[in-house]
């Protein structure tokens, strides 16, 4: 089970992902210059803020009346006008790139091999430079909470270590450690463009109460060569072996705490993490394998004999698949890769996997790399039960628990109802209010209720009564909103008015008019039916 390439990554999309749920790394496998594109799961813009906006009195009843009269265009336009001042989510931002640049002369590279081994959650790179064997390996350890990267060469080499990118503000060497400090933007005023493209101008106010997350990254090199501090870089000379330890921490203290005024001290957290630097790569790898494989090895999957395509460059293998559908090993590899990515992006105690897991290189990522809970977040966690990864679902449970405070205000403010609800996306600060833009995505208060299906589905796989006790309050408050929110129609009770996420329906004599706001939709009604069924069943089980 390996993703194998016979060349270094040419860009971020070709690099290989590692993660321990909190720290994410994309490893390029370069020869002259290695790039580690890093993320940490709490590096988000902004801080806790109430985003409920004033709405016209009786707006919901007006929209409902318009849909009852089948005046759908007017209903849609009125809703979009009412929600035009809504704020979007904050964004998930990258830490930046760690570079290890070789300072030796001309390269003559042969026998290049780069792989991500799913069985060990390790990137390995081997090649020969002017005939001398070079071996590199990298893990992101959950027990040690650091990235560890080892280089071993038959011929002595020199390299330069430095950090660039992200929202870094300064780098310097102190006590043999390269320390990089940065700060995420404050609350960014986003404008959503057409086609999912986002435009944002990051802001960095002077007032502490308006500032964003502080963070630090520390890099320490252990080597048989000579280490020199060079301002914002570290120079290693005449080494045959180098081990880099890299850790990242932020000031995040909770979804409801200001990261600057009430934040934690990244330096103190990193000091504790760096106790591991006295251990070798091999020792940390042993700890890493014990922790990782207890999850990964629960499921094996085979579709036949030995995989004859396993040593083929994956990019070429994908290209050739249309002509070689007998390469069934590719299906097995994709299945285990999905399990691997969830283990790497979501662990007990971390943040939930967002739109890109934990891997993002963009200062303003597509769709802000948020939690889009009208399908994407649910999809991330569909595999926890079938693929025996129940522990990886814990961050999703905690996200649902933490949404309750804001979700209660949103239910009352926008609908005048008890219980909790959330519109179509949320973020680190657990925003539940609508975003700006079109009604087809921003008027849909069922995100929270739909997440409840994930939570209860997990119970059906484990039948863990303590777990069911934990999620029961989340189910209950969503049920409260749905029971209060439905209204009588000619066809029975329904959420009304309603939409179906990012979906249009055709209306008018020639069925050419694309509309989004209806009297009711099967999407919203099905979510309510499912939730009520699960809640009643949970109530019977718990007595």
């Amino acid at each position: 089970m390996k993703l194998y390439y016979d060349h270094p990554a040419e860009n971020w999309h070709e690099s290989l992902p590692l993660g321990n749920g909190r720290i994410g790394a994309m490893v390029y496998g370069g020869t002259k210059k290695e790039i580690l594109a890093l993320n940490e799961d709490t590096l988000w813009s902004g801080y806790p803020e109430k985003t409920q906006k004033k709405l016209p009195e009786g707006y919901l009843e007006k929209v409902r009346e318009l849909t009852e009269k089948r005046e759908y265009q007017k209903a849609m336009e009125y809703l979009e006008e009412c929600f035009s001042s809504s704020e979007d989510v904050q964004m998930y931002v990258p830490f930046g790139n760690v570079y290890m640049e070789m300072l030796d002369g001309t390269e003559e590279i042969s026998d290049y091999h780069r792989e991500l081994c799913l069985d060990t959650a390790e990137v390995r790179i081997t090649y020969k430079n002017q005939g001398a064997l070079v071996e590199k390996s990298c893990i992101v350890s959950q027990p040690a909470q650091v990235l560890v990267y080892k280089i071993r060469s038959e011929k002595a080499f020199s390299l330069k270590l430095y950090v660039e990118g992200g929202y870094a503000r300064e780098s310097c060497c102190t006590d043999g450690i390269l320390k990089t400090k940065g700060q995420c933007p404050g609350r960014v005023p986003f404008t959503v463009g057409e086609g999912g493209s986002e435009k944002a101008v990051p802001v960095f106010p002077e007032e502490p109460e308006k500032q964003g997350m502080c963070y630090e990254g520390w890099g320490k090199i252990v080597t048989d060569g000579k280490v020199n501090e060079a301002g914002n870089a570290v120079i290693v000379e005449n080494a045959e072996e180098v081990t880099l330890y890299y850790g990242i921490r932020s000031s995040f203290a909770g979804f409801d705490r200001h990261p600057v005024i009430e934040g934690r001290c990244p330096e103190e957290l990193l000091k504790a993490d760096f106790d591991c630097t006295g251990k070798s790569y091999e020792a940390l790898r042993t700890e890493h394998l014990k922790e990782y494989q207890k999850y990964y090895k629960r499921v094996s999957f085979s579709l036949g004999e030995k995989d004859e395509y396993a040593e083929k460059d994956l990019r070429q293998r994908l290209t050739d698949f249309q002509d070689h559908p007998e390469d069934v090993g590719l299906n097995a590899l994709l299945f285990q890769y999905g399990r691997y990515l969830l283990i790497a992006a979501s662990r007990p105690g971390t943040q939930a996997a967002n739109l890109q897991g934990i891997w993002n290189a963009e200062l303003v990522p597509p769709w802000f790399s948020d939690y889009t809970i009208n399908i994407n977040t649910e999809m991330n966690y569909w595999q926890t039960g079938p693929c025996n990864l129940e522990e990886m679902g814990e961050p999703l449970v905690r996200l649902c628990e933490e949404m309750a405070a804001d979700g209660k205000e949103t239910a009352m403010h926008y609908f005048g109802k008890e219980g909790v609800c959330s519109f179509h996306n949320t973020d680190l600060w657990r925003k539940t209010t609508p975003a700006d833009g079109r009604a087809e995505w921003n008027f849909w208060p069922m995100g929270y209720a739909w997440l409840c299906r994930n939570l209860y589905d997990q119970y059906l796989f484990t039948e863990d009564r303590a777990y069911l006790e934990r999620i029961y309050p989340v189910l209950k408050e969503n049920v409260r909103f749905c029971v209060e929110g439905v209204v009588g129609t000619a066809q029975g009770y329904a959420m009304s008015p309603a939409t179906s996420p990012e979906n249009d329906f055709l209306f008018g004599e020639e069925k050419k008019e694309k509309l989004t706001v209806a009297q009711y939709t099967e999407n919203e009604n099905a979510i309510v039916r499912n939730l009520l069924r699960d809640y009643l069943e949970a109530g019977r089980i718990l007595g």
Side-chain angles (χ1 to χ4, degrees):
M1 288 293 154
K2 295 179 179 179
L3 279 65
Y4 165 68
Y5 294 87
D6 60 16
H7 61 283
E10 296 178 7
N11 53 57
W12 185 86
H13 295 280
E14 290 187 4
S15 56
L16 295 171
L18 295 172
N20 66 357
R22 187 179 67 82
I23 297 174
M26 298 293 284
V27 182
Y28 281 58
T31 57
K32 186 68 175 177
K33 180 189 287 186
E34 175 61 290
I35 303 174
L36 307 174
L38 301 185
N39 294 95
E40 202 273 351
D41 69 349
T42 62
L43 298 190
W44 288 71
S45 64
Y47 43 81
E49 181 88 339
K50 299 300 181 186
T51 56
Q52 286 79 10
K53 300 295 183 181
K54 187 175 181 180
L55 292 164
E57 188 174 346
Y59 86 98
L60 201 62
E61 290 74 14
K62 180 176 179 178
V63 176
R64 187 179 298 130
E65 289 173 7
L66 289 170
T67 60
E68 288 172 358
K69 296 176 183 176
R70 298 166 70 86
E71 296 181 8
Y72 304 119
Q73 182 71 31
K74 289 182 179 179
M76 182 175 70
E77 291 173 354
Y78 178 66
L79 256 182
E80 290 177 356
E81 180 184 338
C82 290
F83 283 17
S84 61
S85 64
S86 299
E87 293 185 28
D88 216 320
V89 288
Q90 293 302 298
M91 63 182 182
Y92 178 63
V93 301
F95 168 82
N97 296 335
V98 173
Y99 295 94
M100 288 182 282
E101 185 175 351
M102 295 296 179
L103 302 178
D104 305 289
T106 306
E107 286 189 321
E108 293 178 12
I109 304 299
S110 60
D111 301 330
Y112 184 92
H113 178 111
R114 173 172 64 104
E115 68 182 30
L116 169 61
C117 179
L118 303 184
D119 300 287
T120 62
E122 182 178 32
V123 170
R124 300 182 65 87
I125 303 126
T126 61
Y127 57 90
K128 290 181 179 178
N129 184 11
Q130 298 179 341
L133 179 64
V134 179
E135 297 175 304
K136 301 178 178 181
S137 51
C138 185
I139 58 173
V140 179
S141 166
Q142 196 280 334
Q145 287 297 308
V146 296
L147 174 146
V148 196
Y149 190 110
K150 184 172 182 178
I151 306 173
R152 182 188 290 118
S153 174
E154 290 181 340
K155 181 182 177 182
F157 61 92
S158 299
L159 64 78
K160 177 182 179 182
L161 172 73
Y162 58 100
V163 177
E164 292 181 352
Y167 289 98
R169 293 190 166 186
E170 61 176 277
S171 287
C172 64
C173 294
T174 306
D175 301 324
I177 298 175
L178 179 60
K179 299 182 178 181
T180 300
K181 295 183 179 182
Q183 189 165 26
C184 300
R187 289 191 65 82
V188 180
F190 295 116
T191 300
V192 180
E194 289 299 316
S197 62
E198 287 85 17
K199 296 179 180 179
V201 180
V203 292
F204 297 91
E206 294 183 4
E207 305 92 327
E209 67 273 14
K210 295 183 180 180
Q211 292 175 358
M213 194 84 67
C214 300
Y215 62 86
E216 288 191 39
W218 286 12
K220 181 178 180 179
I221 281 181
V222 175
T223 178
D224 59 354
K226 182 181 179 182
V227 178
N228 298 307
E229 297 179 1
N232 61 354
V234 172
I235 306 295
V236 179
E237 296 177 333
N238 197 32
E240 293 183 2
E241 194 169 291
V242 164
T243 302
L244 168 68
Y245 303 82
Y246 208 90
I248 306 170
R249 288 288 181 175
S250 80
S251 63
F252 181 72
F255 74 98
D256 54 355
R257 293 179 178 270
H258 196 286
V260 175
I261 298 172
E262 304 171 282
R264 303 178 72 185
C265 176
E267 183 178 2
E268 295 303 316
L269 298 169
L270 285 164
K271 284 179 181 177
D273 293 339
F274 265 48
D275 286 344
C276 75
T277 59
K279 297 181 180 181
S280 67
Y281 181 92
E282 289 71 25
L284 293 173
R285 181 179 185 271
T286 299
E287 295 175 1
H288 157 76
L289 290 179
K290 183 179 179 181
E291 188 274 339
Y292 168 73
Q293 290 182 341
K294 72 181 179 184
Y295 303 121
Y296 179 81
K297 284 194 168 183
R298 291 174 181 171
V299 173
S300 59
F301 184 42
S302 172
L303 290 170
E305 299 295 325
K306 183 179 183 298
D307 187 353
E308 61 182 284
Y309 298 91
E311 294 301 314
K312 194 174 188 179
D313 180 274
L314 184 56
R315 187 164 62 174
Q316 190 61 47
R317 190 176 179 184
L318 289 166
T319 302
D320 293 345
F321 184 72
Q322 187 172 351
D323 297 325
H324 295 281
E326 71 277 7
D327 181 9
V328 293
L330 191 59
N331 297 290
L333 181 66
L334 182 62
F335 171 80
Q336 288 288 39
Y337 187 44
R339 292 182 69 247
Y340 165 83
L341 288 172
L342 184 59
I343 299 170
S346 181
R347 297 283 180 91
T350 72
Q351 297 302 311
N354 63 47
L355 268 182
Q356 295 181 196
I358 51 173
W359 302 279
N360 163 47
E362 304 295 328
L363 294 177
V364 181
W367 296 279
F368 316 127
S369 201
D370 68 4
Y371 300 103
T372 305
I373 58 176
N374 67 9
I375 184 58
N376 304 93
T377 305
E378 288 86 353
M379 289 175 71
N380 280 353
Y381 286 93
W382 279 346
Q383 59 178 312
T384 56
C387 296
N388 204 358
L389 293 173
E390 64 195 74
E391 294 90 343
M392 275 68 259
E394 190 276 337
L396 185 68
V397 177
R398 192 159 20 84
L399 179 145
C400 289
E401 291 171 332
E402 293 172 351
M403 288 170 63
D406 199 67
K408 186 176 181 65
E409 292 192 29
T410 294
M412 182 56 66
H413 182 88
Y414 288 89
F415 299 95
K417 305 299 181 184
E418 297 290 340
V420 297
C421 74
S422 178
F423 287 82
H424 89 288
N425 59 8
T426 187
D427 56 20
L428 182 71
W429 313 112
R430 307 316 186 218
K431 169 189 182 292
T432 58
T433 54
D436 64 345
R438 297 176 60 186
E440 67 180 283
W441 67 72
N442 76 359
F443 185 74
W444 184 79
M446 306 306 295
Y448 211 164
W450 202 9
L451 285 169
C452 289
R453 175 91 280 266
N454 281 74
L455 303 190
Y456 193 74
D457 193 55
Q458 186 60 50
Y459 167 76
L460 297 178
F461 280 90
T462 64
E463 297 187 339
D464 181 339
R465 186 183 176 92
Y467 169 82
L468 187 59
E469 292 274 12
R470 179 179 177 181
I471 66 170
Y472 186 78
V474 177
L475 303 181
K476 183 175 183 177
E477 290 308 308
N478 275 281
V479 167
R480 192 187 305 277
F481 170 77
C482 291
V483 169
E484 287 204 12
V486 295
V487 298
T489 75
Q491 301 296 324
Y493 286 107
M495 299 298 285
S496 178
T499 60
S500 186
E502 304 184 37
N503 189 34
D504 305 321
F505 62 92
L506 299 177
F507 185 69
E509 292 183 6
E510 298 182 7
K511 296 291 189 294
K512 290 183 178 180
E513 196 175 358
K514 285 188 175 182
L515 299 164
T516 58
V517 180
Q519 185 182 4
Y520 47 81
T521 66
E522 175 58 13
N523 171 274
E524 294 199 15
N525 290 344
I527 289 171
V528 175
R529 283 196 302 269
N530 273 266
L531 176 60
L532 299 189
R533 178 200 65 201
D534 292 347
Y535 177 68
L536 290 171
E537 188 174 285
R540 285 193 294 270
I541 293 166
L542 295 175

